[in-house]
Amino acid sequence: MPRNAFYAQSGGVTAVINASAAGVIETARKHSKQIGKVYAGRNGVIGALTEDLIDTSKESAAAIRALTQTPGGAFGSARYKLKSIDKNRREYERLVEVFKAHDIGYFFLNGGNDSADTCLKVSQIAQALGYPLTAVHVPKTVDNDLPITDCCPGFGSVAKYVATSMLEAGFDVESMARTSTKVFIMEVMGRNAGWITAATGLARSKAGQAPHLLLFPEIAFDEEAFLAAVKLNVEKYGYCAVGVSEGLRDKDGRFLAESGLKDAFGHSQLGGVAPRIAELVRGRLGLKHHWAVADYLQRSARHIASKTDLEQSYAVGKAAVEYALKGMNAVMPTIVRTSSKPYRWKIGVANLSDVANVEKKMPRDFITPDGFHITTRCRNYLTPLIVGEAFPKFENGLPRYVRLKNTAVRRKTRTDFTL
Amino acid sequence: MPRNAFYAQSGGVTAVINASAAGVIETARKHSKQIGKVYAGRNGVIGALTEDLIDTSKESAAAIRALTQTPGGAFGSARYKLKSIDKNRREYERLVEVFKAHDIGYFFLNGGNDSADTCLKVSQIAQALGYPLTAVHVPKTVDNDLPITDCCPGFGSVAKYVATSMLEAGFDVESMARTSTKVFIMEVMGRNAGWITAATGLARSKAGQAPHLLLFPEIAFDEEAFLAAVKLNVEKYGYCAVGVSEGLRDKDGRFLAESGLKDAFGHSQLGGVAPRIAELVRGRLGLKHHWAVADYLQRSARHIASKTDLEQSYAVGKAAVEYALKGMNAVMPTIVRTSSKPYRWKIGVANLSDVANVEKKMPRDFITPDGFHITTRCRNYLTPLIVGEAFPKFENGLPRYVRLKNTAVRRKTRTDFTL
């Protein structure tokens, strides 16, 4: 009998994480001699701990295909970080208990930095407990901050969304600046790494166009330099459009927009740096402003997903299964750029021990010397990632997204588990 | 010699106002025996006052066609309201002076309520001064608040954008609510009329889906009822998504976004009703939240424009020229709904005296009795307006929007005019 697989989505979802799910499930279905069923964790790894598994074999081929057109996490994702093995061995033992009960031989975790670490630990504990398990991490993060891989599935789509939004808002503001808004501020995601902020810069094809200024988390906010630059752009071009990262910090490393709440990982919840910057512009320069906070809109915007990103997201899911079938353990498929012009890529591989908890920030030479924009080198890196459209089907004016049946697998362990 | 036409964009721009411009210009070009050149006002009616006219005949047919694919105001728009004739006769006389200098016999103003009033006044003053002028208003407003016309060009596209965004964000929040955000709040435009807020409601196809609650400017905000409803939805469905109008008011008619409250840190709130509602949810219910403010993104999102809206926007521009050629003065083309299922529409006409300064709010029976959602009647009204996609061409991953040459017409008056 072929052993079963477990697949879970972890951390913040993206417009295309379900394409990775489709890559995993469709590829597993093609190898039915080696992989039995694919069980998905309801709400990510929590589904494994609580033995709340979803039987993906109950879903039609069409439904699984439709996942490539659907944003969000089809099985539920979770912000739930397993503690270190020393601190909470019980969680890891429980995972193995559930896996054993359902004869799970393949573990696929679809997430970012934190979950790469979780995936590695699960692989280690299984080994330590003598339970045969092949664990492969499927990369996903809008933040684009995983190391080794050239880019991260999920990023290209948010990049395309924010660049398109800035381009469009720029046309709007430019056409009304004479009598109305002079300064427009758009806040985007990216707590520590400025990749998404950088992507808004793609909207500008020549000097004078939006965005005029970018505020990166990698560059300490210099209020005076920023205000001087805003003033200069308004004088020169009539308006100034600004892209700002939610993770903008002052010179002492404090977030400009800290809201005081922390999530399960101990990260501060951010939000609202745009209104703060706007208030500064009004207070110090007396200029009329508007601001936007794209928030979840940016990472769920499947309607404007990047075709390149979609294909890569599917490919890493597919490769994860193929690697697992080859017995490759504690690894992660990567995107390897083999050529920039024309853009070509292939799937590579990284060891999870080289990936876990390493955060790839923007190289300094991707940011202009003044700290306020992207360089040509950065533009050349980013552009191919947003190329291509992959519009979903529409019905009655709205994208037709799928909701799966998500049928529960009958429980086999007799123990309950409290998170 | 045929007389020339003047066209100006007025007030907040939309994703499709340039389609109306294309409708005016292309139709005028087809009637070259009756209409000479189409001059556009640079920055709207300001361009007429300052004699800063754009010669649209310098633009290629392809460039004018590309306007149908380009958001913003291609000639510049302005928030500039002419005072009453009594209070500033000088402005009206100046308009006639400039029109006379350039032999302008047709006046097309493309805007909302305020500009319908301006258009009417211009027509009246021309008549009073014995200057032969045919003035036709071309309707445009994302607010959908013009009377007589079934809907307003520009609205269908913002409606499609906000409904799509809420649908997508809903999928995101739903998939993570177990361990993350429980309440999501999206702020949309519409200061006095809740049409855009209502459109976010289209994202919900059955109970339990986002948006769970809508906060309309027409319904005084009831904090207790709202918080109870949020709590109920979170308990029942695991999360609660809220669409809120920027114009939400308390029972005394004060805008919530202007009420001068302070956040948890003692900072003055910086505008934005979404963060204010979010703070309330956190403070009173202790629930994790996220919020988005779409701001200009919603009204410039040409990439997700409604095909129906695009066609109607073009049609009112075309009809405006045809009406003018028939000598119809001080009128506005309207959209007439001749059938709802299947949706059919035609172009009608309204007298500007019936349109100017009248604001069409949501009928009470478009809002559910509890005030928190839209009725089936409202849904039936809204749905056809967002139907159809009209994706722009893309290049290197971004929509290819056009910038016109906007060549200035040589000035003929010797007087300068100070605004």
Side-chain angles (χ1 to χ4, degrees):
Chain A
M1 278 286 285
R3 300 181 71 204
N4 298 316
F6 175 81
Y7 166 82
Q9 302 178 321
S10 182
V13 291
T14 78
V16 293
I17 183 174
N18 288 330
S20 293
V24 167
I25 296 167
E26 290 184 347
T27 309
R29 287 184 178 187
K30 280 185 190 145
H31 294 88
S32 54
K33 286 187 186 161
Q34 294 141 287
I35 299 180
K37 291 188 171 185
V38 177
Y39 294 138
R42 197 184 306 274
N43 301 310
V45 79
I46 288 178
L49 291 168
T50 58
E51 205 191 348
D52 191 355
L53 306 181
I54 290 164
D55 186 352
T56 70
S57 75
K58 304 288 188 195
E59 309 291 342
S60 69
I64 298 301
R65 194 92 278 263
L67 287 181
T68 62
Q69 296 218 356
T70 301
F75 308 107
S77 185
R79 293 201 179 280
Y80 186 82
K81 190 174 183 172
L82 293 175
K83 293 192 187 68
S84 70
I85 297 175
D86 293 345
K87 283 195 182 145
N88 205 342
R89 193 177 180 86
R90 160 183 166 270
E91 282 189 331
Y92 294 89
E93 288 172 349
R94 168 64 174 173
L95 279 182
V96 171
E97 179 188 22
V98 172
F99 291 169
K100 202 176 280 181
H102 295 275
D103 194 24
I104 283 162
Y106 307 96
F107 175 75
F108 301 106
L109 193 57
N110 199 170
N113 304 68
D114 287 336
S115 65
D117 181 54
T118 299
C119 191
L120 177 59
K121 282 180 187 147
V122 168
S123 131
Q124 289 166 342
I125 197 79
Q127 207 154 21
L129 296 173
Y131 180 77
L133 185 76
T134 306
V136 179
H137 188 247
V138 186
K140 171 262 7 168
T141 169
V142 294
D143 291 332
N144 201 40
D145 60 354
L146 286 166
I148 307 177
T149 186
D150 180 67
C151 61
C152 299
F155 170 68
S157 294
V158 73
K160 189 182 186 86
Y161 172 91
V162 298
T164 299
S165 297
M166 178 56 88
L167 175 70
E168 293 178 329
F171 267 75
D172 185 309
V173 178
E174 183 179 329
S175 63
M176 299 198 60
R178 172 78 187 266
T179 57
S180 186
T181 298
K182 297 278 192 291
V183 181
F184 172 70
I185 298 145
M186 184 171 96
E187 175 177 334
V188 300
M189 289 180 161
R191 181 180 307 266
N192 299 312
W195 295 106
I196 302 178
T197 309
T200 66
L202 293 175
R204 186 172 81 168
S205 52
K206 61 181 176 180
Q209 298 174 353
H212 303 83
L213 300 171
L214 300 175
L215 298 172
F216 298 98
E218 288 91 348
I219 305 285
F221 182 58
D222 178 338
E223 188 173 312
E224 298 308 320
F226 169 71
L227 289 169
V230 169
K231 195 162 173 283
L232 190 73
N233 277 288
V234 170
E235 283 166 5
K236 205 164 166 183
Y237 305 115
Y239 73 114
C240 181
V242 181
V244 57
S245 161
E246 61 175 348
L248 186 66
R249 291 170 176 84
D250 65 17
K251 63 177 169 35
D252 302 317
R254 284 180 305 231
F255 287 118
L256 262 77
E258 203 153 326
S259 71
L261 283 185
K262 298 201 177 208
D263 70 12
F265 298 101
H267 302 140
S268 298
Q269 185 182 344
L270 302 181
V273 66
R276 247 155 247 258
I277 298 292
E279 186 55 30
L280 192 64
V281 165
R282 181 167 59 194
R284 294 283 307 276
L285 302 177
L287 292 169
K288 181 169 159 62
H289 63 71
H290 256 247
W291 52 270
V293 177
D295 195 58
Y296 290 151
L297 275 52
Q298 67 199 286
R299 75 177 196 196
S300 61
R302 177 61 188 82
H303 75 274
I304 184 84
S306 153
K307 187 159 182 276
T308 301
D309 185 34
L310 184 73
E311 290 170 354
Q312 293 178 343
S313 298
Y314 186 90
V316 293
K318 177 172 178 280
V321 173
E322 292 166 348
Y323 288 170
L325 290 176
K326 285 183 191 161
M328 294 163 74
N329 188 28
V331 296
M332 177 184 93
T334 58
I335 311 294
V336 179
R337 184 183 300 226
T338 55
S339 159
S340 254
K341 287 186 181 179
Y343 177 63
R344 289 204 194 93
W345 59 276
K346 63 175 188 181
I347 295 292
V349 67
N351 288 315
L352 279 186
S353 52
D354 297 330
V355 171
N357 294 317
V358 179
E359 204 172 41
K360 184 172 73 180
K361 298 190 183 185
M362 291 264 291
R364 187 58 183 87
D365 67 355
F366 274 29
I367 302 174
T368 52
D370 68 3
F372 288 134
H373 224 287
I374 53 171
T375 59
T376 304
R377 182 188 276 270
C378 180
R379 189 174 290 271
N380 292 341
Y381 165 76
L382 290 173
T383 299
L385 308 182
I386 68 167
V387 166
E389 293 67 56
F391 301 116
K393 291 200 178 79
F394 280 72
E395 196 170 22
N396 286 326
L398 290 175
R400 196 173 63 192
Y401 295 142
V402 71
R403 276 190 170 82
L404 299 180
K405 288 183 286 187
N406 283 350
T407 311
V409 176
R410 204 163 61 81
R411 291 193 56 184
K412 294 190 174 179
T413 73
R414 287 164 179 241
T415 39
D416 279 328
F417 187 87
T418 310
L419 295 172
Chain B
M1 279 284 286
R3 300 181 71 205
N4 299 314
F6 175 81
Y7 166 82
Q9 301 178 321
S10 183
V13 292
T14 78
V16 293
I17 182 174
N18 288 331
S20 293
V24 167
I25 296 167
E26 290 185 348
T27 309
R29 286 184 179 187
K30 281 184 190 148
H31 294 88
S32 54
K33 284 186 185 163
Q34 294 141 286
I35 299 180
K37 291 187 171 184
V38 177
Y39 294 138
R42 196 185 306 273
N43 302 310
V45 78
I46 289 179
L49 291 169
T50 59
E51 204 190 349
D52 192 355
L53 306 181
I54 290 165
D55 187 351
T56 69
S57 75
K58 304 288 187 193
E59 309 293 342
S60 69
I64 298 302
R65 193 93 279 261
L67 287 181
T68 62
Q69 296 219 354
T70 301
F75 308 108
S77 185
R79 294 204 178 278
Y80 187 83
K81 191 173 181 174
L82 293 175
K83 294 192 185 67
S84 69
I85 297 174
D86 294 345
K87 283 194 183 147
N88 206 341
R89 192 175 180 87
R90 159 183 168 271
E91 281 189 331
Y92 294 89
E93 289 173 349
R94 169 63 175 173
L95 279 181
V96 171
E97 179 188 22
V98 171
F99 290 170
K100 201 177 281 183
H102 294 275
D103 194 24
I104 283 162
Y106 308 95
F107 176 76
F108 301 106
L109 194 55
N110 199 171
N113 303 67
D114 285 341
S115 66
D117 181 55
T118 299
C119 191
L120 177 60
K121 283 179 187 150
V122 168
S123 131
Q124 290 165 341
I125 197 78
Q127 207 154 21
L129 295 173
Y131 180 76
L133 185 76
T134 306
V136 179
H137 189 248
V138 187
K140 171 258 13 165
T141 170
V142 293
D143 291 332
N144 201 40
D145 59 354
L146 286 166
I148 305 176
T149 187
D150 179 68
C151 61
C152 298
F155 170 68
S157 293
V158 74
K160 189 181 185 84
Y161 173 92
V162 298
T164 300
S165 297
M166 179 56 88
L167 175 70
E168 294 179 328
F171 267 74
D172 185 310
V173 178
E174 183 180 330
S175 62
M176 299 199 61
R178 172 78 188 266
T179 56
S180 187
T181 298
K182 297 278 192 290
V183 182
F184 172 69
I185 298 144
M186 183 170 96
E187 174 176 333
V188 300
M189 288 180 161
R191 185 156 285 261
N192 299 314
W195 296 106
I196 302 177
T197 308
T200 66
L202 293 176
R204 186 171 82 168
S205 52
K206 60 180 177 182
Q209 297 175 352
H212 304 82
L213 299 172
L214 300 176
L215 297 172
F216 298 97
E218 287 91 348
I219 305 286
F221 182 59
D222 179 338
E223 189 172 311
E224 298 308 321
F226 170 71
L227 289 170
V230 169
K231 196 162 173 283
L232 190 73
N233 277 287
V234 170
E235 283 166 5
K236 204 163 168 186
Y237 305 115
Y239 73 112
C240 180
V242 182
V244 56
S245 162
E246 62 176 347
L248 185 66
R249 292 172 176 81
D250 65 17
K251 64 178 168 36
D252 301 317
R254 282 178 308 223
F255 286 118
L256 259 79
E258 284 178 3
S259 67
L261 291 176
K262 298 195 173 200
D263 69 13
F265 299 92
H267 300 133
S268 290
Q269 278 285 1
L270 307 171
V273 66
R276 197 166 298 251
I277 298 292
E279 185 55 31
L280 191 64
V281 165
R282 179 168 64 193
R284 294 282 307 277
L285 301 178
L287 292 170
K288 182 168 157 64
H289 62 71
H290 255 248
W291 51 269
V293 177
D295 195 58
Y296 290 152
L297 275 51
Q298 68 198 286
R299 74 176 197 198
S300 61
R302 176 62 187 82
H303 75 274
I304 185 84
S306 152
K307 187 159 182 276
T308 300
D309 185 34
L310 184 73
E311 289 170 355
Q312 293 178 342
S313 298
Y314 187 90
V316 292
K318 177 171 179 281
V321 173
E322 291 167 349
Y323 288 169
L325 289 176
K326 285 184 190 160
M328 293 163 75
N329 188 27
V331 296
M332 177 185 92
T334 59
I335 310 294
V336 179
R337 184 183 299 226
T338 54
S339 159
S340 253
K341 286 185 180 181
Y343 177 62
R344 290 204 193 92
W345 59 275
K346 64 175 188 180
I347 296 292
V349 67
N351 288 317
L352 278 187
S353 52
D354 298 329
V355 171
N357 295 319
V358 180
E359 203 172 41
K360 184 172 72 179
K361 297 191 184 184
M362 291 263 291
R364 187 60 183 84
D365 68 356
F366 273 30
I367 301 174
T368 52
D370 67 3
F372 288 134
H373 225 288
I374 53 173
T375 59
T376 303
R377 181 187 277 271
C378 180
R379 190 175 289 271
N380 291 343
Y381 165 76
L382 290 172
T383 299
L385 309 182
I386 69 167
V387 167
E389 292 67 57
F391 302 117
K393 291 202 178 76
F394 281 71
E395 196 169 23
N396 286 325
L398 289 175
R400 195 172 65 192
Y401 295 141
V402 71
R403 276 192 170 81
L404 300 180
K405 288 183 286 186
N406 283 350
T407 312
V409 177
R410 205 164 59 81
R411 291 193 55 184
K412 294 188 174 179
T413 73
R414 286 164 180 241
T415 40
D416 279 328
F417 187 87
T418 310
L419 296 172

